[in-house]
Short mmCIF file of all heavy atoms in Angstrom, two decimals:
data_model
loop_
_atom_site.label_atom_id
_atom_site.label_comp_id
_atom_site.label_asym_id
_atom_site.label_seq_id
_atom_site.Cartn_x
_atom_site.Cartn_y
_atom_site.Cartn_z
N ILE A 1 -3.30 -76.95 -17.30
CA ILE A 1 -2.31 -77.87 -17.58
C ILE A 1 -2.72 -79.06 -18.33
O ILE A 1 -2.08 -79.64 -19.33
CB ILE A 1 -1.41 -78.34 -16.31
CG1 ILE A 1 -0.78 -77.16 -15.65
CG2 ILE A 1 -0.47 -79.38 -16.56
CD1 ILE A 1 -0.25 -77.34 -14.31
N LEU A 2 -3.83 -79.64 -17.92
CA LEU A 2 -4.34 -80.87 -18.49
C LEU A 2 -4.93 -80.60 -19.95
O LEU A 2 -4.75 -81.45 -20.88
CB LEU A 2 -5.35 -81.49 -17.69
CG LEU A 2 -4.86 -82.19 -16.37
CD1 LEU A 2 -6.10 -82.63 -15.47
CD2 LEU A 2 -4.03 -83.42 -16.75
N VAL A 3 -5.51 -79.55 -20.16
CA VAL A 3 -5.88 -79.04 -21.59
C VAL A 3 -4.60 -79.00 -22.39
O VAL A 3 -4.60 -79.60 -23.62
CB VAL A 3 -6.63 -77.69 -21.56
CG1 VAL A 3 -6.73 -77.09 -22.99
CG2 VAL A 3 -7.92 -77.78 -20.80
N THR A 4 -3.60 -78.48 -22.00
CA THR A 4 -2.29 -78.47 -22.70
C THR A 4 -1.76 -79.77 -22.89
O THR A 4 -1.31 -80.08 -24.03
CB THR A 4 -1.33 -77.55 -21.93
OG1 THR A 4 -1.90 -76.18 -21.76
CG2 THR A 4 -0.02 -77.31 -22.77
N GLY A 5 -1.62 -80.51 -21.97
CA GLY A 5 -1.07 -81.94 -22.06
C GLY A 5 -1.89 -82.81 -22.93
O GLY A 5 -1.38 -83.55 -23.89
N ALA A 6 -3.23 -82.65 -22.92
CA ALA A 6 -4.15 -83.40 -23.79
C ALA A 6 -3.92 -82.95 -25.28
O ALA A 6 -3.96 -83.81 -26.19
CB ALA A 6 -5.67 -83.18 -23.44
N HIS A 7 -3.79 -81.56 -25.50
CA HIS A 7 -3.59 -81.15 -26.78
C HIS A 7 -2.30 -81.78 -27.40
O HIS A 7 -2.25 -82.16 -28.63
CB HIS A 7 -3.43 -79.66 -26.84
CG HIS A 7 -3.10 -79.04 -28.21
ND1 HIS A 7 -3.97 -78.90 -29.22
CD2 HIS A 7 -1.82 -78.69 -28.63
CE1 HIS A 7 -3.27 -78.41 -30.29
NE2 HIS A 7 -2.08 -78.35 -29.90
N PHE A 8 -1.21 -81.80 -26.67
CA PHE A 8 0.01 -82.43 -27.15
C PHE A 8 0.06 -83.96 -27.00
O PHE A 8 1.04 -84.58 -27.43
CB PHE A 8 1.20 -81.80 -26.36
CG PHE A 8 1.54 -80.52 -26.78
CD1 PHE A 8 0.96 -79.34 -26.09
CD2 PHE A 8 2.30 -80.18 -27.90
CE1 PHE A 8 1.26 -78.01 -26.54
CE2 PHE A 8 2.52 -78.88 -28.44
CZ PHE A 8 2.06 -77.85 -27.76
N ARG A 9 -1.00 -84.54 -26.38
CA ARG A 9 -1.02 -86.04 -26.10
C ARG A 9 0.26 -86.44 -25.49
O ARG A 9 1.09 -87.28 -25.91
CB ARG A 9 -1.20 -86.75 -27.37
CG ARG A 9 -2.66 -86.51 -27.80
CD ARG A 9 -2.97 -87.35 -29.06
NE ARG A 9 -2.10 -87.27 -30.23
CZ ARG A 9 -2.21 -86.32 -31.12
NH1 ARG A 9 -3.06 -85.36 -31.18
NH2 ARG A 9 -1.28 -86.46 -32.17
N SER A 10 0.68 -85.63 -24.36
CA SER A 10 1.96 -85.79 -23.57
C SER A 10 1.69 -86.83 -22.34
O SER A 10 1.09 -86.51 -21.43
CB SER A 10 2.49 -84.52 -23.20
OG SER A 10 3.64 -84.63 -22.49
N ALA A 11 2.05 -87.98 -22.56
CA ALA A 11 1.79 -89.17 -21.69
C ALA A 11 2.21 -88.85 -20.27
O ALA A 11 1.38 -88.87 -19.32
CB ALA A 11 2.36 -90.45 -22.13
N TYR A 12 3.45 -88.46 -20.13
CA TYR A 12 3.97 -88.21 -18.68
C TYR A 12 3.27 -87.05 -18.09
O TYR A 12 2.78 -87.14 -16.95
CB TYR A 12 5.50 -88.09 -18.63
CG TYR A 12 6.12 -87.90 -17.28
CD1 TYR A 12 6.50 -89.02 -16.60
CD2 TYR A 12 6.09 -86.73 -16.64
CE1 TYR A 12 7.07 -88.92 -15.33
CE2 TYR A 12 6.54 -86.60 -15.31
CZ TYR A 12 7.05 -87.71 -14.74
OH TYR A 12 7.64 -87.66 -13.47
N GLU A 13 3.09 -86.03 -18.76
CA GLU A 13 2.40 -84.80 -18.24
C GLU A 13 0.93 -85.12 -17.82
O GLU A 13 0.47 -84.71 -16.78
CB GLU A 13 2.38 -83.68 -19.33
CG GLU A 13 1.72 -82.37 -18.74
CD GLU A 13 1.73 -81.22 -19.74
OE1 GLU A 13 2.57 -81.13 -20.50
OE2 GLU A 13 0.86 -80.42 -19.53
N LEU A 14 0.20 -85.92 -18.64
CA LEU A 14 -1.13 -86.34 -18.28
C LEU A 14 -1.19 -87.31 -17.03
O LEU A 14 -1.98 -87.18 -16.22
CB LEU A 14 -1.84 -86.94 -19.45
CG LEU A 14 -2.11 -86.01 -20.65
CD1 LEU A 14 -2.53 -86.71 -21.86
CD2 LEU A 14 -3.15 -84.96 -20.28
N TYR A 15 -0.15 -88.19 -17.10
CA TYR A 15 -0.13 -89.03 -15.99
C TYR A 15 0.13 -88.28 -14.57
O TYR A 15 -0.64 -88.51 -13.62
CB TYR A 15 1.08 -90.03 -16.17
CG TYR A 15 1.83 -90.44 -14.87
CD1 TYR A 15 1.28 -91.43 -13.97
CD2 TYR A 15 3.12 -89.74 -14.59
CE1 TYR A 15 1.95 -91.63 -12.90
CE2 TYR A 15 3.74 -90.18 -13.42
CZ TYR A 15 3.25 -91.04 -12.57
OH TYR A 15 3.76 -91.45 -11.35
N ALA A 16 1.10 -87.36 -14.73
CA ALA A 16 1.46 -86.56 -13.48
C ALA A 16 0.26 -85.72 -12.94
O ALA A 16 -0.04 -85.72 -11.84
CB ALA A 16 2.65 -85.86 -13.66
N HIS A 17 -0.28 -84.93 -13.93
CA HIS A 17 -1.34 -83.97 -13.54
C HIS A 17 -2.69 -84.47 -13.38
O HIS A 17 -3.55 -83.84 -12.76
CB HIS A 17 -1.11 -82.71 -14.55
CG HIS A 17 0.12 -81.95 -14.14
ND1 HIS A 17 0.12 -81.04 -13.16
CD2 HIS A 17 1.25 -81.98 -14.71
CE1 HIS A 17 1.27 -80.48 -13.03
NE2 HIS A 17 2.02 -81.09 -13.98
N VAL A 18 -2.93 -85.68 -13.92
CA VAL A 18 -4.22 -86.40 -13.41
C VAL A 18 -4.10 -86.66 -11.99
O VAL A 18 -5.06 -86.33 -11.19
CB VAL A 18 -4.57 -87.57 -14.41
CG1 VAL A 18 -5.61 -88.46 -13.63
CG2 VAL A 18 -5.06 -87.14 -15.68
N LEU A 19 -3.01 -87.20 -11.53
CA LEU A 19 -2.84 -87.54 -10.16
C LEU A 19 -2.97 -86.31 -9.24
O LEU A 19 -3.57 -86.25 -8.27
CB LEU A 19 -1.58 -88.30 -9.91
CG LEU A 19 -1.49 -89.73 -10.52
CD1 LEU A 19 -0.11 -90.26 -10.37
CD2 LEU A 19 -2.49 -90.62 -9.89
N VAL A 20 -2.21 -85.28 -9.72
CA VAL A 20 -2.26 -83.99 -8.89
C VAL A 20 -3.57 -83.47 -8.90
O VAL A 20 -4.16 -82.95 -7.88
CB VAL A 20 -1.26 -82.93 -9.55
CG1 VAL A 20 -1.35 -81.66 -8.75
CG2 VAL A 20 0.19 -83.49 -9.36
N ALA A 21 -4.33 -83.42 -10.09
CA ALA A 21 -5.70 -82.80 -10.17
C ALA A 21 -6.76 -83.66 -9.32
O ALA A 21 -7.50 -83.02 -8.67
CB ALA A 21 -6.14 -82.81 -11.59
N GLU A 22 -6.49 -84.90 -9.14
CA GLU A 22 -7.38 -85.69 -8.33
C GLU A 22 -7.25 -85.18 -6.88
O GLU A 22 -8.15 -85.14 -6.05
CB GLU A 22 -7.10 -87.16 -8.44
CG GLU A 22 -7.59 -87.82 -9.66
CD GLU A 22 -7.19 -89.36 -9.79
OE1 GLU A 22 -6.15 -89.68 -9.19
OE2 GLU A 22 -7.77 -90.03 -10.58
N GLN A 23 -5.94 -85.05 -6.35
CA GLN A 23 -5.68 -84.55 -5.13
C GLN A 23 -6.25 -83.19 -4.84
O GLN A 23 -6.51 -82.82 -3.65
CB GLN A 23 -4.18 -84.50 -4.87
CG GLN A 23 -3.46 -85.84 -4.91
CD GLN A 23 -1.93 -85.61 -4.92
OE1 GLN A 23 -1.36 -84.64 -4.78
NE2 GLN A 23 -1.33 -86.78 -5.16
N ARG A 24 -6.53 -82.33 -5.83
CA ARG A 24 -6.98 -81.13 -5.81
C ARG A 24 -8.50 -80.91 -5.93
O ARG A 24 -9.07 -79.92 -6.11
CB ARG A 24 -6.15 -80.18 -6.70
CG ARG A 24 -4.74 -80.23 -6.38
CD ARG A 24 -3.97 -78.98 -6.78
NE ARG A 24 -2.71 -78.99 -6.08
CZ ARG A 24 -1.57 -78.70 -6.71
NH1 ARG A 24 -1.52 -78.45 -7.96
NH2 ARG A 24 -0.43 -78.76 -6.14
N GLY A 25 -9.11 -82.21 -5.99
CA GLY A 25 -10.61 -82.16 -6.00
C GLY A 25 -11.31 -82.31 -7.30
O GLY A 25 -12.43 -82.31 -7.20
N LEU A 26 -10.61 -82.48 -8.33
CA LEU A 26 -11.27 -82.64 -9.63
C LEU A 26 -11.77 -84.06 -9.87
O LEU A 26 -10.99 -85.00 -9.46
CB LEU A 26 -10.37 -82.22 -10.81
CG LEU A 26 -10.01 -80.80 -10.89
CD1 LEU A 26 -8.74 -80.53 -11.69
CD2 LEU A 26 -11.21 -79.98 -11.41
N SER A 27 -12.94 -84.23 -10.21
CA SER A 27 -13.63 -85.47 -10.38
C SER A 27 -13.03 -86.29 -11.56
O SER A 27 -12.48 -85.88 -12.44
CB SER A 27 -15.07 -85.47 -10.61
OG SER A 27 -15.38 -84.91 -11.92
N ASP A 28 -13.06 -87.62 -11.40
CA ASP A 28 -12.59 -88.51 -12.46
C ASP A 28 -13.19 -88.28 -13.77
O ASP A 28 -12.68 -88.23 -14.82
CB ASP A 28 -12.68 -90.00 -12.03
CG ASP A 28 -11.80 -90.41 -11.03
OD1 ASP A 28 -10.71 -89.77 -10.70
OD2 ASP A 28 -11.98 -91.48 -10.30
N ASP A 29 -14.53 -88.12 -13.74
CA ASP A 29 -15.47 -87.78 -15.00
C ASP A 29 -14.76 -86.47 -15.65
O ASP A 29 -14.64 -86.47 -16.91
CB ASP A 29 -16.92 -87.73 -14.80
CG ASP A 29 -17.49 -88.95 -14.36
OD1 ASP A 29 -16.92 -90.12 -14.56
OD2 ASP A 29 -18.65 -89.03 -13.87
N LYS A 30 -14.59 -85.43 -14.90
CA LYS A 30 -14.19 -84.26 -15.42
C LYS A 30 -12.78 -84.48 -15.99
O LYS A 30 -12.44 -83.93 -17.07
CB LYS A 30 -14.16 -83.22 -14.25
CG LYS A 30 -13.95 -81.80 -14.66
CD LYS A 30 -14.01 -80.82 -13.57
CE LYS A 30 -15.37 -80.64 -12.92
NZ LYS A 30 -15.44 -79.56 -12.03
N LEU A 31 -11.92 -85.16 -15.26
CA LEU A 31 -10.48 -85.44 -15.72
C LEU A 31 -10.55 -86.26 -17.00
O LEU A 31 -9.79 -85.87 -17.96
CB LEU A 31 -9.74 -85.98 -14.66
CG LEU A 31 -9.47 -85.17 -13.39
CD1 LEU A 31 -8.78 -85.99 -12.30
CD2 LEU A 31 -8.64 -84.00 -13.86
N ALA A 32 -11.39 -87.25 -17.07
CA ALA A 32 -11.40 -88.06 -18.28
C ALA A 32 -11.82 -87.36 -19.37
O ALA A 32 -11.32 -87.52 -20.60
CB ALA A 32 -12.34 -89.32 -17.96
N THR A 33 -12.74 -86.46 -19.21
CA THR A 33 -13.25 -85.62 -20.39
C THR A 33 -12.24 -84.65 -20.89
O THR A 33 -12.00 -84.52 -22.12
CB THR A 33 -14.59 -84.90 -19.92
OG1 THR A 33 -15.45 -85.75 -19.42
CG2 THR A 33 -15.14 -84.10 -21.07
N ILE A 34 -11.52 -84.14 -20.03
CA ILE A 34 -10.40 -83.10 -20.41
C ILE A 34 -9.29 -83.92 -21.12
O ILE A 34 -8.76 -83.49 -22.15
CB ILE A 34 -9.83 -82.27 -19.22
CG1 ILE A 34 -10.82 -81.38 -18.71
CG2 ILE A 34 -8.59 -81.51 -19.68
CD1 ILE A 34 -10.54 -80.77 -17.32
#
């Protein structure tokens, strides 16, 4: 989902799924890179 949102530079999608991904254990560094 984040690869897709980053490709489209979709602000709301990235906002929502960064928060969800953090809850699912993905590190901040990993998320920032994606």
